[in-house]
Amino acid sequence: MAIVSRRELLRAAGVTAAGLPLAGWRDVPLGPTARQAWAASLPRFQPGDVPDAVLLNARIHTFDTENRTVEALAIKNGRVLALGDTATIRALAGPDTVQYDLAGLTVVPGFYDSHNHLRATGLNFFAVDLSGARSVADVLAAIAARAAITPAGEWIVASSRWHEGGLAERRFPTRAELDRVAPDHPVYIPRGGHNVVTNSLGFARAGIDESTPNPPGGTYVRDPSTGELTGHIIGRPAFGRLARLLPQPTREQEREALRAAIRAYHAAGITSVIEPGLEPAEFAAFQGLWASGELTVRTTAMLRVFPGTTDAELARALETIRGLAFATGFGDQWLRLGGIKFTADGGVETSYLREPFAHADDPEEPRGKPHASLENMVAVCQLASELGWQMGVHCVGDAGIDLVLDAFEAVHAHSPLQGKRWTLIHMMLARPEHFVRARAMDLVITAQQPLTYALSAGWVKYWGRERAANNEPLRAYLESGLAVGNGTDSPVTPYDPLLNLWSCATRETQFEGVLGPEWAIPLADALRWYTRGSAYTAFEEQYKGSLAVGRLADLAALTVDPLAAAPEEVRDAQVLLTMVGGRVVHDGRLGSVSPPQRPARGFAVPEGCHCAEAPG
């Protein structure tokens, strides 16, 4: 696989009014079919082209290499044709050009969420909503209401977007409490991505009782005085026994969930996401919407594997990777493959720490547990490198970050990682020495300040206030010299980019006030991470993340200027217009009617696509 330097990639990013030069892509570490797909899906401009649309009388922050702010831009074939003052751009318009007078709105490149579970967010819309619960009684009432309309014996599943820190009691509901309101239904209440609460019937269905040992990387929380299961389960290795029993959505239900999430994201100004971890079967719904032309949030999807701690788990992970005859970059402008993703540790309660937790649910593991052994991580990373995959690994605790850097360095010693943009996902309890090691390999970071915002009560409880305040040290990321992509980790957190920007600039949290104000960063830097930074992490900065001639016309128009307004004004702003590929997908202006979504492709993709590409 060819490796190019950052300078070479930036030099290749130059465009002209005649279109994007394809020569610059020859050295990018993507296979040949991937390059051809991108080229075919982005028509070249022709001399004398008349714009399809123009945006006038706006304040447009381009985030291009010159960091220009202009009044107007023209769009042709889904890409930016020209930028300049309103008079100049208006003069380019023809009789069929759609003209948008934005009357002073601020336009930015479309928000690119570098870590967003699009599929899970959509599915959460159809689960029991606990986001407004403010007491354990509220949680129980919501579960009881769903039980009343659900046939006996069927699972009741709640959404993951809630936190016990927002409840008056600041605790999880118990198994006994859930038994009282849903005695005839197994209950599954996820909180974030690393915790689940269930009732007695849920435990029984999974064959879990007081004698069941804690698996590596997971914990069945027990009452310290009686030893009885409380209902709280921590870590996928433990709650996976329940998750496997849940009814799976039909393909059409998955598609409808994606449609719901796409509508919500467009209203928030989100035009691209990195979907950080799909198992092979979960790609089908994305492929279905892609074929029908409905996938209008551009998606770079990562493949999730589970290296685990045993030989059998490692064998399954390696078999999954070898079974795919394509690699990072396969796809087109709407749906592409990103990297391989696995988790080194968990989240708040399940992170892997150098020093003990302030509160440990499993006293036998006071520093937490890694989700994979170093040996298995190295084996997966080595295979990924050999087959041309980008790699991204979830790491939260400082000891978890240590493990990931150890694994990456083992590969780097034989096959240098510079230019491959291997990613430290979260990197939340980062230490100064971590940045030194990461710079040596030219790694990138995907940061999610909303995790600190939404889970603040958990960080304080489990890590103590000092470590919680040093969590997600944004300014250290900024000063490290490493590339950073911004995002949310929805549905664990709110997907709203404007809330994220505000929290980045203030370090305000939902439940614990300001945590670590010294780590706050300027709104301008947070916004650059949310646009150019995220595009860079996915090898897409030549097409996304800025508004320059030849770039995709993905943009959002806001009621305030994030580069001039106070953080609170940005948090409370509105997205009045969102465009993807030059088409309006959200229009919140008074009396406006949005045109249809982009047209479907001219062919249908058979179920179970057999497309293959050798790494180039």
Side-chain angles (χ1 to χ4, degrees):
M1 182 174 66
I3 297 174
V4 296
S5 70
R6 184 177 305 179
R7 177 174 298 176
E8 290 168 326
L9 282 172
L10 291 173
R11 185 166 59 245
V15 294
T16 68
L20 183 72
L22 299 180
W25 275 96
R26 292 172 185 158
D27 296 326
V28 175
L30 306 175
T33 305
R35 289 197 295 271
Q36 294 163 11
W38 273 94
S41 66
L42 296 176
R44 299 176 67 91
F45 300 148
Q46 302 299 325
D49 271 345
V50 175
D52 299 320
V54 293
L55 274 59
L56 309 171
N57 295 315
R59 178 178 297 184
I60 302 172
H61 296 305
T62 64
F63 289 129
D64 63 4
T65 53
E66 298 175 15
N67 205 31
R68 293 179 296 164
T69 298
V70 300
E71 290 182 333
L73 63 78
I75 299 168
K76 182 68 176 179
N77 293 332
R79 300 162 71 188
V80 177
L81 177 67
L83 303 106
D85 61 78
T86 290
T88 300
I89 299 302
R90 181 182 278 128
L92 300 176
D96 297 323
T97 300
V98 180
Q99 299 191 35
Y100 297 92
D101 187 336
L102 297 189
L105 293 178
T106 296
V107 173
V108 297
F111 294 112
Y112 190 152
D113 193 316
S114 66
H115 190 92
N116 187 297
H117 299 272
L118 178 63
R119 173 181 178 271
T121 300
L123 290 172
N124 260 245
F125 291 156
F126 300 97
V128 179
D129 182 11
L130 301 179
S131 61
R134 293 297 175 261
S135 68
V136 170
D138 289 346
V139 173
L140 298 177
I143 298 300
R146 181 62 64 92
I149 60 173
T150 302
E154 291 188 8
W155 283 89
I156 294 174
V157 181
S159 68
S160 59
R161 174 66 187 104
W162 70 284
H163 196 279
E164 69 278 6
L167 307 182
E169 300 85 352
R170 298 176 76 86
R171 65 170 176 83
F172 290 96
T174 67
R175 164 190 178 183
E177 289 168 334
L178 293 173
D179 287 345
R180 286 198 294 271
V181 298
D184 302 319
H185 301 81
V187 176
Y188 186 89
I189 305 178
R191 197 274 279 143
H194 304 280
N195 292 264
V196 165
V197 184
T198 193
N199 61 350
S200 294
L201 190 52
F203 276 131
R205 290 277 182 92
I208 299 168
D209 59 27
E210 276 72 16
S211 66
T212 304
N214 289 331
T219 300
Y220 302 112
V221 180
R222 293 168 167 82
D223 186 303
S225 58
T226 66
E228 293 183 353
L229 297 169
T230 67
H232 182 197
I233 308 173
I234 302 174
R236 179 172 290 274
F239 65 70
R241 291 178 61 166
L242 279 82
R244 286 190 289 270
L245 303 176
L246 299 179
Q248 295 302 303
T250 66
R251 188 158 295 177
E252 183 51 41
Q253 286 171 333
E254 286 202 78
R255 291 177 182 175
E256 184 53 39
L258 285 176
R259 292 184 187 107
I262 287 168
R263 289 191 295 269
Y265 285 14
H266 285 329
I270 300 170
T271 58
S272 290
V273 300
I274 294 176
E275 165 67 79
L278 296 174
E279 296 181 48
E282 295 171 344
F283 281 84
F286 287 86
Q287 180 180 321
L289 290 196
W290 168 83
S292 68
E294 297 174 273
L295 187 62
T296 51
V297 168
R298 304 182 194 274
T299 302
T300 297
M302 301 181 75
L303 171 70
R304 181 192 295 272
V305 298
F306 302 93
T309 58
T310 67
D311 291 342
E313 289 171 315
L314 175 60
R316 283 194 295 271
L318 298 180
E319 182 181 2
T320 298
I321 297 170
R322 292 192 184 102
L324 298 171
F326 38 77
T328 295
F330 182 79
D332 67 2
Q333 60 170 304
W334 299 104
L335 180 62
R336 300 176 62 240
L337 274 178
I340 291 172
K341 183 259 184 91
F342 65 80
T343 60
D345 63 350
V348 179
E349 307 85 353
T350 53
S351 47
Y352 185 40
L353 304 175
R354 292 179 179 178
E355 302 296 329
F357 283 96
H359 170 85
D361 286 309
D362 185 355
E364 295 183 1
E365 300 286 350
R367 297 192 301 115
K369 313 168 190 177
H371 284 189
S373 67
L374 177 59
E375 294 76 15
N376 287 12
M377 289 186 197
V378 170
V380 166
C381 290
Q382 286 177 334
L383 181 62
S385 178
E386 291 168 7
L387 297 181
W389 284 94
Q390 185 185 17
M391 176 62 68
V393 184
H394 164 122
C395 47
V396 169
D398 45 10
I401 301 169
D402 291 339
L403 280 178
V404 175
L405 290 170
D406 288 346
F408 283 9
E409 286 170 344
V411 176
H412 179 68
H414 301 284
S415 179
L417 296 182
Q418 285 93 347
K420 297 181 180 179
R421 305 187 195 183
W422 282 29
T423 306
L424 297 167
I425 298 173
H426 307 313
M427 199 191 183
M428 298 194 75
L429 198 57
R431 304 299 188 186
E433 62 272 21
H434 290 149
F435 295 107
V436 176
R437 298 172 69 185
R439 280 196 299 271
M441 294 179 279
D442 194 26
L443 305 182
V444 299
I445 302 168
T446 54
Q448 303 81 33
Q449 171 64 21
L451 286 171
T452 297
Y453 166 80
L455 307 182
S456 55
W459 300 122
V460 171
K461 175 182 177 181
Y462 284 89
W463 284 10
R465 185 162 291 274
E466 181 178 352
R467 276 188 294 190
N470 289 323
N471 186 37
E472 196 80 8
L474 302 177
R475 182 163 291 279
Y477 300 159
L478 183 64
E479 295 175 352
S480 72
L482 299 171
V484 181
N486 207 345
T488 60
D489 206 3
S490 176
V492 178
T493 73
Y495 56 78
D496 180 4
L498 299 177
L499 179 72
N500 185 1
L501 294 176
W502 162 76
S503 189
C504 285
T506 63
R507 296 286 290 192
E508 287 277 359
T509 70
Q510 190 170 10
F511 305 117
E512 296 291 339
V514 176
L515 283 178
E518 67 273 20
W519 301 120
I521 59 173
L523 282 166
D525 292 303
L527 183 55
R528 287 188 183 92
W529 287 356
Y530 230 133
T531 51
R532 291 183 62 176
S534 294
Y536 182 88
T537 67
F539 292 99
E540 293 176 335
E541 74 275 15
Q542 293 180 336
Y543 293 108
K544 301 181 185 178
S546 61
L547 296 171
V549 173
R551 301 294 200 269
L552 292 167
D554 297 353
L555 55 88
L558 314 176
T559 55
V560 305
D561 182 353
L563 302 190
E568 291 72 21
E569 295 177 289
V570 173
R571 177 196 61 197
D572 299 332
Q574 292 178 282
V575 177
L576 291 190
L577 186 75
T578 304
M579 281 185 162
V580 180
R583 286 182 173 268
V584 175
V585 292
H586 165 73
D587 196 337
R589 296 173 300 164
L590 184 63
S592 300
V593 177
S594 296
Q597 304 276 17
R598 72 179 179 89
R601 298 182 66 89
F603 59 91
V605 178
E607 300 294 347
C609 178
H610 299 293
C611 305
E613 173 184 20

